[in-house]
mmCIF file of all heavy atoms in Angstrom:
data_model
loop_
_atom_site.group_PDB
_atom_site.id
_atom_site.type_symbol
_atom_site.label_atom_id
_atom_site.label_comp_id
_atom_site.label_asym_id
_atom_site.label_seq_id
_atom_site.Cartn_x
_atom_site.Cartn_y
_atom_site.Cartn_z
ATOM 1 N N THR A 144 6.733 76.980 2.481
ATOM 2 C CA THR A 144 5.740 77.192 3.548
ATOM 3 C C THR A 144 6.039 76.279 4.745
ATOM 4 O O THR A 144 6.120 76.763 5.889
ATOM 5 C CB THR A 144 4.306 76.994 3.021
ATOM 6 O OG1 THR A 144 4.101 77.908 1.944
ATOM 7 C CG2 THR A 144 3.269 77.254 4.089
ATOM 8 N N GLY A 168 -4.690 68.514 7.045
ATOM 9 C CA GLY A 168 -4.385 68.677 5.619
ATOM 10 C C GLY A 168 -3.198 67.818 5.225
ATOM 11 O O GLY A 168 -2.259 67.650 6.016
ATOM 12 N N ARG A 169 -3.248 67.264 4.012
ATOM 13 C CA ARG A 169 -2.165 66.376 3.547
ATOM 14 C C ARG A 169 -1.722 66.745 2.134
ATOM 15 O O ARG A 169 -1.386 65.865 1.331
ATOM 16 C CB ARG A 169 -2.635 64.920 3.597
ATOM 17 C CG ARG A 169 -3.890 64.678 2.764
ATOM 18 C CD ARG A 169 -4.265 63.217 2.705
ATOM 19 N NE ARG A 169 -5.627 63.062 2.210
ATOM 20 C CZ ARG A 169 -6.245 61.901 2.094
ATOM 21 N NH1 ARG A 169 -5.628 60.795 2.431
ATOM 22 N NH2 ARG A 169 -7.493 61.842 1.637
ATOM 23 N N SER A 170 -1.776 68.038 1.801
ATOM 24 C CA SER A 170 -1.414 68.440 0.433
ATOM 25 C C SER A 170 0.085 68.288 0.208
ATOM 26 O O SER A 170 0.872 68.256 1.149
ATOM 27 C CB SER A 170 -1.814 69.892 0.183
ATOM 28 O OG SER A 170 -0.966 70.759 0.909
ATOM 29 N N ILE A 172 1.919 70.496 -0.998
ATOM 30 C CA ILE A 172 2.576 71.782 -0.792
ATOM 31 C C ILE A 172 2.793 72.092 0.691
ATOM 32 O O ILE A 172 3.813 72.635 1.080
ATOM 33 C CB ILE A 172 1.743 72.900 -1.477
ATOM 34 C CG1 ILE A 172 1.769 72.676 -3.000
ATOM 35 C CG2 ILE A 172 2.235 74.287 -1.120
ATOM 36 C CD1 ILE A 172 0.920 73.654 -3.775
ATOM 37 N N VAL A 173 1.808 71.749 1.515
ATOM 38 C CA VAL A 173 1.905 72.106 2.933
ATOM 39 C C VAL A 173 1.799 70.881 3.855
ATOM 40 O O VAL A 173 2.751 70.527 4.549
ATOM 41 C CB VAL A 173 0.819 73.130 3.358
ATOM 42 C CG1 VAL A 173 1.120 73.651 4.765
ATOM 43 C CG2 VAL A 173 0.693 74.299 2.397
ATOM 44 N N HIS A 192 -7.313 64.594 7.338
ATOM 45 C CA HIS A 192 -7.752 64.972 5.989
ATOM 46 C C HIS A 192 -9.267 64.899 5.929
ATOM 47 O O HIS A 192 -9.920 64.729 6.967
ATOM 48 C CB HIS A 192 -7.077 64.067 4.960
ATOM 49 C CG HIS A 192 -7.117 62.628 5.348
ATOM 50 N ND1 HIS A 192 -8.239 61.865 5.202
ATOM 51 C CD2 HIS A 192 -6.178 61.850 5.956
ATOM 52 C CE1 HIS A 192 -7.993 60.652 5.672
ATOM 53 N NE2 HIS A 192 -6.750 60.616 6.137
ATOM 54 N N SER A 193 -9.808 64.992 4.727
ATOM 55 C CA SER A 193 -11.269 65.101 4.608
ATOM 56 C C SER A 193 -11.996 63.822 5.023
ATOM 57 O O SER A 193 -13.198 63.844 5.242
ATOM 58 C CB SER A 193 -11.648 65.484 3.178
ATOM 59 O OG SER A 193 -11.262 64.467 2.290
ATOM 60 N N ARG A 194 -11.295 62.718 5.113
ATOM 61 C CA ARG A 194 -11.958 61.463 5.513
ATOM 62 C C ARG A 194 -11.709 61.127 6.986
ATOM 63 O O ARG A 194 -12.125 60.073 7.455
ATOM 64 C CB ARG A 194 -11.437 60.301 4.695
ATOM 65 C CG ARG A 194 -12.024 59.889 3.340
ATOM 66 C CD ARG A 194 -12.834 60.789 2.552
ATOM 67 N NE ARG A 194 -12.038 61.482 1.539
ATOM 68 C CZ ARG A 194 -11.527 60.933 0.445
ATOM 69 N NH1 ARG A 194 -11.713 59.671 0.187
ATOM 70 N NH2 ARG A 194 -10.839 61.643 -0.413
ATOM 71 N N LEU A 198 -12.847 64.825 13.791
ATOM 72 C CA LEU A 198 -11.683 65.705 13.755
ATOM 73 C C LEU A 198 -11.397 66.403 15.100
ATOM 74 O O LEU A 198 -10.250 66.392 15.569
ATOM 75 C CB LEU A 198 -11.933 66.743 12.659
ATOM 76 C CG LEU A 198 -10.817 67.172 11.734
ATOM 77 C CD1 LEU A 198 -9.965 66.033 11.268
ATOM 78 C CD2 LEU A 198 -11.416 67.928 10.560
ATOM 79 N N ALA A 211 -4.003 73.446 7.863
ATOM 80 C CA ALA A 211 -3.767 73.775 6.445
ATOM 81 C C ALA A 211 -4.815 73.081 5.597
ATOM 82 O O ALA A 211 -4.538 72.136 4.857
ATOM 83 C CB ALA A 211 -2.358 73.353 6.025
ATOM 84 N N VAL A 212 -6.053 73.544 5.737
ATOM 85 C CA VAL A 212 -7.175 72.913 5.024
ATOM 86 C C VAL A 212 -7.834 73.835 4.012
ATOM 87 O O VAL A 212 -8.466 73.381 3.058
ATOM 88 C CB VAL A 212 -8.265 72.395 5.990
ATOM 89 C CG1 VAL A 212 -7.907 71.051 6.549
ATOM 90 C CG2 VAL A 212 -8.575 73.371 7.087
ATOM 91 N N GLY A 213 -7.744 75.145 4.222
ATOM 92 C CA GLY A 213 -8.436 76.059 3.311
ATOM 93 C C GLY A 213 -9.929 76.152 3.594
ATOM 94 O O GLY A 213 -10.740 76.281 2.676
ATOM 95 N N ARG A 214 -10.312 76.061 4.875
ATOM 96 C CA ARG A 214 -11.721 76.217 5.289
ATOM 97 C C ARG A 214 -11.774 77.311 6.358
ATOM 98 O O ARG A 214 -11.188 77.137 7.442
ATOM 99 C CB ARG A 214 -12.278 74.925 5.889
ATOM 100 C CG ARG A 214 -12.237 73.731 4.976
ATOM 101 C CD ARG A 214 -13.530 73.631 4.156
ATOM 102 N NE ARG A 214 -13.487 72.489 3.282
ATOM 103 C CZ ARG A 214 -13.032 72.506 2.014
ATOM 104 N NH1 ARG A 214 -12.584 73.611 1.483
ATOM 105 N NH2 ARG A 214 -13.038 71.407 1.280
ATOM 106 N N MET A 217 -12.410 77.011 10.561
ATOM 107 C CA MET A 217 -12.954 75.684 10.874
ATOM 108 C C MET A 217 -12.567 75.213 12.282
ATOM 109 O O MET A 217 -13.350 74.565 12.977
ATOM 110 C CB MET A 217 -12.446 74.679 9.835
ATOM 111 C CG MET A 217 -13.056 73.307 9.973
ATOM 112 S SD MET A 217 -12.570 72.230 8.616
ATOM 113 C CE MET A 217 -11.106 71.521 9.288
ATOM 114 N N VAL A 232 -2.209 78.052 8.741
ATOM 115 C CA VAL A 232 -1.662 78.246 7.395
ATOM 116 C C VAL A 232 -2.729 78.800 6.438
ATOM 117 O O VAL A 232 -2.427 79.443 5.440
ATOM 118 C CB VAL A 232 -1.097 76.912 6.829
ATOM 119 C CG1 VAL A 232 -0.353 77.136 5.526
ATOM 120 C CG2 VAL A 232 -0.188 76.244 7.843
ATOM 121 N N GLY A 233 -3.974 78.567 6.763
ATOM 122 C CA GLY A 233 -5.077 78.885 5.850
ATOM 123 C C GLY A 233 -5.160 80.366 5.485
ATOM 124 O O GLY A 233 -4.865 81.239 6.300
ATOM 125 N N VAL A 234 -5.523 80.598 4.237
ATOM 126 C CA VAL A 234 -5.804 81.967 3.781
ATOM 127 C C VAL A 234 -7.140 81.885 3.046
ATOM 128 O O VAL A 234 -7.226 81.293 1.973
ATOM 129 C CB VAL A 234 -4.721 82.489 2.815
ATOM 130 C CG1 VAL A 234 -5.044 83.915 2.382
ATOM 131 C CG2 VAL A 234 -3.342 82.439 3.450
ATOM 132 N N ASN A 235 -8.173 82.426 3.673
ATOM 133 C CA ASN A 235 -9.507 82.311 3.081
ATOM 134 C C ASN A 235 -10.157 83.684 3.011
ATOM 135 O O ASN A 235 -10.039 84.472 3.949
ATOM 136 C CB ASN A 235 -10.398 81.409 3.958
ATOM 137 C CG ASN A 235 -9.718 80.090 4.296
ATOM 138 O OD1 ASN A 235 -9.582 79.222 3.448
ATOM 139 N ND2 ASN A 235 -9.288 79.936 5.547
ATOM 140 N N ASP A 251 -7.705 79.269 8.866
ATOM 141 C CA ASP A 251 -8.494 78.056 9.085
ATOM 142 C C ASP A 251 -8.896 77.931 10.557
ATOM 143 O O ASP A 251 -9.602 77.006 10.937
ATOM 144 C CB ASP A 251 -7.663 76.818 8.699
ATOM 145 C CG ASP A 251 -7.453 76.715 7.195
ATOM 146 O OD1 ASP A 251 -8.185 77.374 6.440
ATOM 147 O OD2 ASP A 251 -6.546 75.960 6.775
ATOM 148 N N VAL A 271 2.038 82.834 8.883
ATOM 149 C CA VAL A 271 2.803 81.944 7.995
ATOM 150 C C VAL A 271 3.108 82.609 6.649
ATOM 151 O O VAL A 271 4.199 82.423 6.093
ATOM 152 C CB VAL A 271 2.023 80.621 7.782
ATOM 153 C CG1 VAL A 271 2.729 79.735 6.756
ATOM 154 C CG2 VAL A 271 1.857 79.878 9.105
ATOM 155 N N GLY A 272 2.159 83.378 6.122
ATOM 156 C CA GLY A 272 2.301 83.950 4.782
ATOM 157 C C GLY A 272 3.642 84.630 4.528
ATOM 158 O O GLY A 272 4.356 84.260 3.589
ATOM 159 N N THR A 275 6.713 82.301 4.032
ATOM 160 C CA THR A 275 6.865 81.528 2.798
ATOM 161 C C THR A 275 7.835 82.249 1.858
ATOM 162 O O THR A 275 8.773 81.642 1.330
ATOM 163 C CB THR A 275 5.483 81.348 2.131
ATOM 164 O OG1 THR A 275 4.661 80.604 3.037
ATOM 165 C CG2 THR A 275 5.578 80.605 0.814
HETATM 166 P P1 NDP B 1 -5.318 71.784 -0.556
HETATM 167 O O1 NDP B 1 -6.702 72.130 -0.986
HETATM 168 O O2 NDP B 1 -4.341 71.270 -1.547
HETATM 169 O O3 NDP B 1 -5.401 70.700 0.628
HETATM 170 C C1 NDP B 1 -6.330 70.826 1.638
HETATM 171 C C2 NDP B 1 -6.211 69.645 2.565
HETATM 172 O O4 NDP B 1 -7.189 69.799 3.587
HETATM 173 C C3 NDP B 1 -6.484 68.303 1.916
HETATM 174 O O5 NDP B 1 -5.578 67.346 2.413
HETATM 175 C C4 NDP B 1 -7.913 67.977 2.310
HETATM 176 O O6 NDP B 1 -8.191 66.608 2.482
HETATM 177 C C5 NDP B 1 -8.030 68.656 3.655
HETATM 178 N N1 NDP B 1 -9.399 69.078 3.929
HETATM 179 C C6 NDP B 1 -10.201 69.851 3.160
HETATM 180 N N2 NDP B 1 -11.395 70.023 3.747
HETATM 181 C C7 NDP B 1 -11.353 69.338 4.913
HETATM 182 C C8 NDP B 1 -12.278 69.144 5.960
HETATM 183 N N3 NDP B 1 -13.497 69.665 5.940
HETATM 184 N N4 NDP B 1 -11.889 68.372 6.999
HETATM 185 C C9 NDP B 1 -10.660 67.829 7.042
HETATM 186 N N5 NDP B 1 -9.734 67.999 6.095
HETATM 187 C C10 NDP B 1 -10.078 68.753 5.029
HETATM 188 O O7 NDP B 1 -4.775 73.076 0.167
HETATM 189 P P2 NDP B 1 -3.279 73.585 0.465
HETATM 190 O O8 NDP B 1 -2.584 72.630 1.356
HETATM 191 O O9 NDP B 1 -2.611 74.003 -0.780
HETATM 192 O O10 NDP B 1 -3.604 74.904 1.277
HETATM 193 C C11 NDP B 1 -4.299 74.897 2.512
HETATM 194 C C12 NDP B 1 -4.562 76.314 2.964
HETATM 195 O O11 NDP B 1 -3.310 76.958 3.157
HETATM 196 C C13 NDP B 1 -5.304 77.181 1.948
HETATM 197 O O12 NDP B 1 -6.122 78.097 2.641
HETATM 198 C C14 NDP B 1 -4.195 77.930 1.240
HETATM 199 O O13 NDP B 1 -4.626 79.169 0.716
HETATM 200 C C15 NDP B 1 -3.223 78.129 2.365
HETATM 201 N N6 NDP B 1 -1.832 78.277 1.937
HETATM 202 C C16 NDP B 1 -1.128 79.293 2.495
HETATM 203 C C17 NDP B 1 0.185 79.484 2.175
HETATM 204 C C18 NDP B 1 0.924 80.577 2.838
HETATM 205 O O14 NDP B 1 2.023 80.891 2.435
HETATM 206 N N7 NDP B 1 0.362 81.193 3.864
HETATM 207 C C19 NDP B 1 0.884 78.646 1.197
HETATM 208 C C20 NDP B 1 0.072 77.541 0.715
HETATM 209 C C21 NDP B 1 -1.239 77.395 1.077
HETATM 210 P P3 NDP B 1 -8.123 65.507 1.276
HETATM 211 O O15 NDP B 1 -6.664 65.293 1.040
HETATM 212 O O16 NDP B 1 -8.816 64.347 1.825
HETATM 213 O O17 NDP B 1 -8.816 66.155 0.112
#
Side-chain angles (χ1 to χ4, degrees):
T144 302
R169 58 174 165 182
S170 71
I172 294 176
V173 190
H192 46 78
S193 64
R194 272 19 96 71
L198 221 42
V212 278
R214 301 270 180 269
M217 186 173 90
V232 188
V234 181
N235 310 287
D251 290 343
V271 174
T275 298

